Amino acid sequence: MPIIIEQLSHTYLPGSQLAYPALSDVSLTVQDGEFLGIIGHTGSGKSTLIQHLNGLLLPTAGSVLVDGLDTREKKLRKQIRSLVGMVFQYPEYQLFEETVERDVAFGPKNMGLSEEEIAPRVEEALRLVGLNPSEFSEKSPFELSGGEKRRAALAGILAMRPKYLVLDEPMAGLDPRGRREILALIESLRSDYGTGIVMVSHSMDDVAMFADRIAVLDKGSLFMVASPEDVFSHSTELLEMGLNLPQATQLVRALRARGIDIQHDYFRMEELAADLIGRWNHDR
Amino acid sequence: MTANISLGQYLPGNSVVHRLDPRTKIFLMALYIAIVFVVKSLVVFLLPVVLLVAMFLFAQVPASYFFSALKPMKWLLVFMFVINLFATQGTTLWIDWKFIHITQEAVEQAVYITLRLVLLVAGTSILTLTTSPIALTDGLEKLMSPLRKLRFPAHELAMMMTIALRFIPTLMEETDRIQKAQMARGADFESGNIFQRAKSMIPVLVPLFVSAFRRADELAMAMESRCYHGGEGRTRMRELHFHWRDLFATLLLTAVLVGIILLENLPL
């Protein structure tokens, strides 16, 4: 079953002078096991939207159903939060326990699992993020390196075995290697566990590379939700919203401006490269 | 988003009161407090009441702020009123029923005390409503600077206050964020008894402290790399200047204070 967002509106501080409509009339479905990218300029409502997916924020109007469970029902919230794992920006700042093991166990413990059920989950989660349990379990999370902390925090969410994983800028502030590792992890979660991924990102290349569909938010409204191909063929509109384009799309635009006729709207570098090499060989 | 908490409660504006020098305003508040405490009889209480109304009018502060200033105090006010009503000894009995004895003196005393508290709280709120926290600490620093001769760290204290105020919204935001992150991991801050709730705050407090220390460290580093070295020989971008309005306001309030002292002590 999917996550169904229907005509969702959210206003911060409703009724006061500071009332601020952050989302209006957004309808969107997150399918089982799909990779949905969310892009939008700062203040477009991305964070507000994803916080609705596990009931951290509640709709001012409209509804959010997670596998048929309404986020407005207080009794269902715990269940919803174990279905939808949420990785905030800079998740390493939520580490608090004395050992990595105990920190990772925090989520499963809150779900009411027994010690016997928790231990294998913790070990599995640590392995998934590439932290060797025998080496890291007993370490304090505060003595890890930046990248390790990020992965330990991620393990804390994965140990809950969420059906959907929502990530807000999961690669922010990481070095290229750290970025690659996190992206590979997200991809393997989807392929090996069938986890549905919702990822907010400012990197158009990452979204273009991995997302099945992309939702574009602009000033609190859903501009479009479609395949990367469709979305990046609207390059002019995206640029007007203050968004960037994937490098391949930028190159296509630049080449077209110079009179080189490329029919296809490429958004992945490999495909564009293949096309260009084909032309070059042909011309010779 | 925790914008619903208005700390410092500064209400930007350009009224006469807003433009008064912060040093003057701090001094005027001291005068005002003196006035409120010097008043003893009901008729003379009219003067500080009029003064309070005048302050709200001149500061162009909506009357609703009067009530929001008193709101956190409401139970204290009720408590003070009731305590004074029953505990004050007097001679003229008004109500005498079973164990309840209320005298005229008690009623007067209760009204005075409550009115005094209302005047104090509402009046001093004008200071924070019309003075930005930065101006306030600037004013305090200047007022305290003579104490530097006694090795009192006036500048450092003011700087610490400024920084503390500056970081309140940041830390609130941070708290909100961490709280949400832990809630996403199934943490529950709302149910359970008081001990369970206190314990449930640990996953929020530990990261909050860690980040506060990190921020403090970074700020210290940033200040040092811009050659900050404390108060000695430091000039400021915006110097405070006294104007005629500062003198007028001070004279006015002094006159009211002297007038009240005379009224209360002259046999009329």
Side-chain angles (χ1 to χ4, degrees):
Chain A
M1 280 172 90
I3 302 180
I4 301 169
I5 303 163
E6 239 175 279
Q7 296 187 308
L8 169 68
S9 297
H10 189 87
T11 304
Y12 284 109
L13 306 169
S16 78
Q17 289 172 330
L18 298 163
Y20 173 70
L23 278 182
S24 57
D25 203 18
V26 171
S27 296
L28 185 66
T29 303
V30 184
Q31 300 293 349
D32 270 355
E34 86 164 325
F35 193 133
L36 177 74
I38 298 182
I39 59 176
H41 196 246
T42 309
S44 60
K46 300 180 303 261
S47 297
T48 310
L49 175 64
I50 59 167
Q51 287 180 42
H52 278 89
L53 297 177
N54 70 348
L56 285 175
L57 290 177
L58 298 177
T60 310
S63 67
V64 178
L65 298 179
V66 178
D67 286 5
L69 308 172
D70 193 326
T71 57
R72 279 170 299 190
E73 297 264 355
K74 212 173 170 188
K75 275 176 290 179
L76 299 176
R77 224 163 274 159
K78 230 168 193 171
Q79 200 183 340
I80 289 171
R81 284 181 190 158
S82 58
L83 274 173
V84 183
M86 173 87 59
V87 181
F88 279 97
Q89 239 176 75
Y90 298 102
E92 55 271 31
Y93 294 145
Q94 75 197 33
L95 297 167
F96 71 98
E97 271 287 9
E98 283 161 50
T99 66
V100 170
E101 187 180 19
R102 286 172 62 180
D103 203 284
V104 175
F106 181 67
K109 217 153 121 195
N110 286 329
M111 288 165 68
L113 298 176
S114 68
E115 295 287 334
E116 295 85 70
E117 288 170 293
I118 293 175
R121 279 178 177 233
V122 171
E123 203 179 313
E124 181 197 26
L126 284 174
R127 275 190 205 293
L128 266 174
V129 298
L131 296 177
N132 185 0
S134 56
E135 190 186 336
F136 286 94
S137 289
E138 295 305 316
K139 276 195 178 175
S140 157
F142 298 105
E143 61 186 74
L144 305 182
S145 75
E148 287 166 350
K149 274 186 197 167
R150 173 85 44 109
R151 284 184 275 158
L154 211 63
I157 316 287
L158 297 183
M160 298 168 77
R161 293 192 183 150
K163 190 179 162 200
Y164 305 93
L165 189 63
V166 182
L167 304 118
D168 191 353
E169 291 271 350
M171 277 89 70
L174 289 181
D175 57 21
R177 186 169 155 205
R179 298 176 66 89
R180 278 199 300 275
E181 282 169 356
I182 297 282
L183 272 172
L185 166 66
I186 296 171
E187 258 305 288
S188 76
L189 278 176
R190 184 165 74 137
S191 54
D192 302 349
Y193 292 79
T195 311
I197 309 283
V198 177
M199 185 172 87
V200 171
S201 182
H202 281 299
S203 160
M204 297 301 139
D205 283 294
D206 292 345
V207 179
M209 196 66 165
F210 294 104
D212 301 317
R213 290 191 306 150
I214 298 176
V216 187
L217 284 173
D218 184 33
K219 295 181 194 114
S221 306
L222 191 62
F223 170 70
M224 68 185 299
V225 51
S227 67
E229 202 159 2
D230 268 0
V231 167
F232 291 122
S233 66
H234 290 75
S235 47
T236 315
E237 287 101 317
L238 293 181
L239 287 172
E240 271 168 17
M241 284 173 211
L243 288 173
N244 227 331
L245 297 173
Q247 286 182 348
T249 313
Q250 290 180 30
L251 189 51
V252 169
R253 280 173 69 94
L255 289 171
R256 278 183 189 154
R258 295 210 169 187
I260 297 170
D261 183 33
I262 299 173
Q263 281 95 32
H264 194 78
D265 285 310
Y266 290 106
F267 57 92
R268 287 187 180 140
M269 212 36 127
E270 297 89 88
E271 292 164 13
L272 174 61
D275 181 310
L276 293 178
I277 291 167
R279 279 162 194 264
W280 197 55
N281 286 334
H282 183 80
D283 287 351
R284 279 203 308 185
Chain B
M1 281 236 169
T2 23
N4 47 350
I5 298 172
S6 65
L7 252 159
Q9 59 167 355
Y10 173 55
L11 189 68
N14 198 28
S15 71
V16 192
V17 184
H18 281 89
R19 277 178 287 147
L20 281 176
D21 190 289
R23 288 168 293 179
T24 316
K25 277 190 268 191
I26 296 168
F27 181 64
L28 291 183
M29 273 310 128
L31 276 181
Y32 174 79
I33 293 169
I35 290 172
V36 171
F37 276 107
V38 160
V39 173
K40 284 196 204 71
S41 57
L42 204 51
V43 186
V44 187
F45 253 117
L46 271 177
L47 271 168
V49 170
V50 169
L51 200 61
L52 182 71
V53 174
M55 286 199 300
F56 269 85
L57 287 179
F58 276 116
Q60 290 166 9
V61 174
S64 63
Y65 281 86
F66 172 80
F67 297 102
S68 55
L70 291 179
K71 212 172 158 194
M73 305 279 298
K74 61 185 174 204
W75 293 116
L76 181 68
L77 290 174
V78 172
F79 181 73
M80 292 293 272
F81 187 84
V82 173
I83 286 284
N84 277 286
L85 201 58
F86 293 113
T88 312
Q89 303 294 323
T91 46
T92 332
L93 266 180
W94 276 9
I95 297 174
D96 189 9
W97 176 75
K98 290 190 182 164
F99 56 90
I100 296 177
H101 316 282
I102 294 176
T103 61
Q104 185 192 344
E105 287 83 351
V107 174
E108 278 174 11
Q109 180 73 4
V111 169
Y112 287 167
I113 293 275
T114 319
L115 198 56
R116 228 172 237 153
L117 261 175
V118 169
L119 284 171
L120 271 183
V121 173
T124 43
S125 77
I126 289 281
L127 176 66
T128 46
L129 280 168
T130 61
T131 320
S132 74
I134 298 290
L136 205 57
T137 42
D138 267 5
L140 274 175
E141 182 184 344
K142 278 277 180 193
L143 285 175
M144 290 187 301
S145 60
L147 293 173
R148 276 224 296 269
K149 297 251 170 10
L150 309 170
R151 303 193 138 221
F152 181 79
H155 168 81
E156 284 72 10
L157 212 67
M159 182 55 95
M160 275 155 67
M161 275 174 64
T162 312
I163 292 172
L165 285 169
R166 153 70 183 76
F167 275 100
I168 287 172
T170 312
L171 289 179
M172 305 255 293
E173 229 166 75
E174 191 97 355
T175 312
D176 188 55
R177 240 181 40 168
I178 299 170
Q179 220 165 2
K180 275 184 173 160
Q182 306 298 24
M183 272 158 76
R185 294 210 274 166
D188 184 357
F189 304 112
E190 279 150 17
S191 54
N193 61 38
I194 188 156
F195 295 107
Q196 283 165 329
R197 277 196 208 192
K199 215 179 147 207
S200 76
M201 289 311 287
I202 292 175
V204 176
L205 290 177
V206 172
L208 189 64
F209 271 100
V210 170
S211 102
F213 281 123
R214 186 175 45 83
R215 278 179 201 284
D217 229 28
E218 281 169 6
L219 180 69
M221 210 95 90
M223 285 168 78
E224 245 172 66
S225 52
R226 289 200 272 167
C227 304
Y228 175 80
H229 59 86
E232 206 58 50
R234 195 174 156 80
T235 56
R236 26 187 78 250
M237 193 160 101
R238 266 172 303 179
E239 293 278 353
L240 295 174
H241 293 292
F242 285 117
H243 295 270
W244 283 110
R245 52 176 174 269
D246 294 298
L247 183 63
F248 279 133
T250 312
L251 286 179
L252 186 74
L253 249 76
T254 314
V256 174
L257 178 63
V258 172
I260 288 177
I261 293 175
L262 290 177
L263 274 175
E264 289 289 3
N265 291 306
L266 287 180
L268 287 177

